[in-house]
Amino acid sequence: MRVVVQNDINRACGGRAHASPRRRAGARGALAALALAALVSGCGQSGSGAGVHPAQGAQPLHAPPARALDSYATKLRAAYAARVAAAKRWGLAKVPLTAPPAPVHKPEITARKGFEVDDQEELNLPPVFTTIPTKKKIVFLTIDDGENKDPAFLRMMSDLKIPYTAFLSNYLVKDDYGYFRKMQAQGHTINNHTLTHPYLPGLSYAEQRHEICGMQDIMKKQFGKAPTVFRPPYGNYNHDTLVAAKSCGIKYAPIWDEEVFVDHWEYREDDLSLHPGDIVLTHFRGREDWKGTMVDDMRRFLGKVTAEGYAVARLEDYL
């Protein structure tokens, strides 16, 4: 049976098979899913000669009937080849790993210990958290404010099929809502980051509510719906912030565990490492603020997470 599996892998990866047709046909139906799973991990990076190890919990393959196996494998090879080409086109050393499918049963999201406010549970206030509880080797990319609107960034992330969540502040995006509509049309999620990006704890309850609810109204008008996810500017908030956010329809208030820049990373934890489920922050910035572009920023981000065996997942799939 090992020979049959290896023959299917060899055929899909462009190699040669050696077992008889009768043996291949007899075991192919039972081993189709296994062979295809091996195909994805066994074809290897371009020029490496070693097997590619997918992210923990990589998406299971649903194989078609045995008679369609060759066609299915061909499609997988074409999809992988497209990813290899995209990675090369955007200057990545390795092909980004594919995230597992969204969980059927979503994890329970609670406030990170020490990040609660008074009456957090009693009032069922939106939790503030930095990591999604999961054992899968995935991280979540979040991008704040909306100042820089680089079309190359949209092309890059679309080509590479990398999901991300944007948290928008109206004073920075109102000059070009269309840019973020394109982002939304590509399947990325846009969320609330207030009207003017103020230090919320320094405002009254009414002022905080205006900042959050006002942005909810704009997002519903410009993007078709008011989000349920909100990030307080600078990661600063107090009891009034979360009460106001809840009154505006907010259910979650994620902040971050790491922040990536064009030239370095910053960490919340003392171990200075990525962890399964971490939320990573960056900003919409360009050369006027950084020593590089959004594309450069994404190269640094994807280079590190891929090298460490992490895939990038969609945050809202876990909320």
Side-chain angles (χ1 to χ4, degrees):
M1 293 176 65
R2 292 178 182 171
V3 174
V4 176
V5 172
Q6 189 59 50
N7 285 340
D8 284 339
I9 295 170
N10 288 343
R11 181 182 297 103
C13 292
R16 298 174 62 185
H18 303 286
S20 69
R22 182 176 57 83
R23 291 185 63 189
R24 289 199 302 272
R28 181 177 291 178
L31 297 177
L34 179 60
L36 286 168
L39 164 66
V40 174
S41 61
C43 288
Q45 297 279 2
S46 178
S48 69
V52 176
H53 301 287
Q56 180 179 344
Q59 182 170 346
L61 298 172
H62 302 289
R67 64 183 180 276
L69 180 59
D70 288 338
S71 175
Y72 187 66
T74 298
K75 291 179 181 178
L76 285 178
R77 290 182 61 208
Y80 182 74
R83 292 173 57 223
V84 170
K88 182 177 181 180
R89 185 162 56 250
W90 292 104
L92 302 181
K94 294 184 177 181
V95 180
L97 299 171
T98 301
V104 176
H105 303 289
K106 296 186 179 184
E108 180 183 3
I109 306 297
T110 58
R112 175 171 169 157
K113 186 176 181 180
F115 287 52
E116 310 95 332
V117 297
D118 292 342
D119 302 320
Q120 176 80 51
E121 294 186 6
E122 292 82 356
L123 296 179
N124 191 29
L125 297 178
V128 175
F129 53 98
T130 62
T131 301
I132 296 291
T134 181
K135 294 181 179 180
K136 298 175 182 178
K137 289 200 72 173
I138 54 175
V139 294
F140 303 93
L141 174 62
T142 62
I143 312 177
D144 279 8
D145 66 43
E147 179 176 353
N148 183 270
K149 304 168 185 67
D150 184 355
F153 165 77
L154 293 184
R155 294 195 301 271
M156 177 186 194
M157 303 304 269
S158 178
D159 283 354
L160 294 169
K161 305 289 190 293
I162 303 298
Y164 58 90
T165 297
F167 290 88
L168 306 182
S169 293
N170 190 58
Y171 84 109
L172 291 174
V173 304
K174 63 183 180 181
D175 63 329
D176 191 0
Y177 291 124
Y179 178 85
F180 299 97
R181 292 193 193 102
K182 292 177 183 177
M183 184 181 296
Q184 185 182 38
Q186 291 176 356
H188 306 291
T189 307
I190 52 178
N191 287 320
N192 189 326
H193 201 42
T194 71
L195 291 171
T196 65
H197 204 276
Y199 174 71
L200 290 173
L203 303 181
S204 68
Y205 172 79
E207 290 169 330
Q208 292 198 52
R209 192 173 188 279
H210 171 71
E211 283 284 340
I212 302 169
C213 288
M215 190 59 184
Q216 290 288 85
D217 293 341
I218 287 173
M219 296 194 77
K220 184 175 182 179
K221 178 180 179 181
Q222 296 295 333
F223 306 111
K225 62 183 296 186
T228 60
V229 184
F230 157 73
R231 173 172 284 165
Y234 315 106
N236 294 133
Y237 61 95
N238 59 15
H239 180 269
D240 281 352
T241 308
L242 300 185
V243 173
K246 181 181 178 181
S247 76
C248 301
I250 297 298
K251 296 182 179 179
Y252 302 98
I255 49 177
W256 59 90
D257 214 49
E258 294 89 21
E259 184 171 1
V260 60
F261 298 83
V262 167
D263 55 355
H264 71 284
W265 282 69
E266 294 182 0
Y267 301 85
R268 188 180 297 273
E269 314 302 337
D270 292 338
D271 62 5
L272 306 182
S273 299
L274 292 173
H275 316 90
D278 275 358
I279 299 170
V280 180
L281 164 68
T282 193
H283 288 80
F284 289 97
R285 292 289 185 271
R287 292 189 183 278
E288 63 276 13
D289 298 297
W290 284 349
K291 298 177 181 179
T293 65
M294 286 293 295
V295 170
D296 297 324
D297 189 40
M298 290 299 98
R299 287 196 191 102
R300 176 169 286 274
F301 168 73
L302 291 170
K304 179 178 178 64
V305 300
T306 305
E308 296 189 14
Y310 285 87
V312 183
R314 182 176 180 270
L315 179 62
E316 286 72 17
D317 286 344
Y318 289 76
L319 300 181

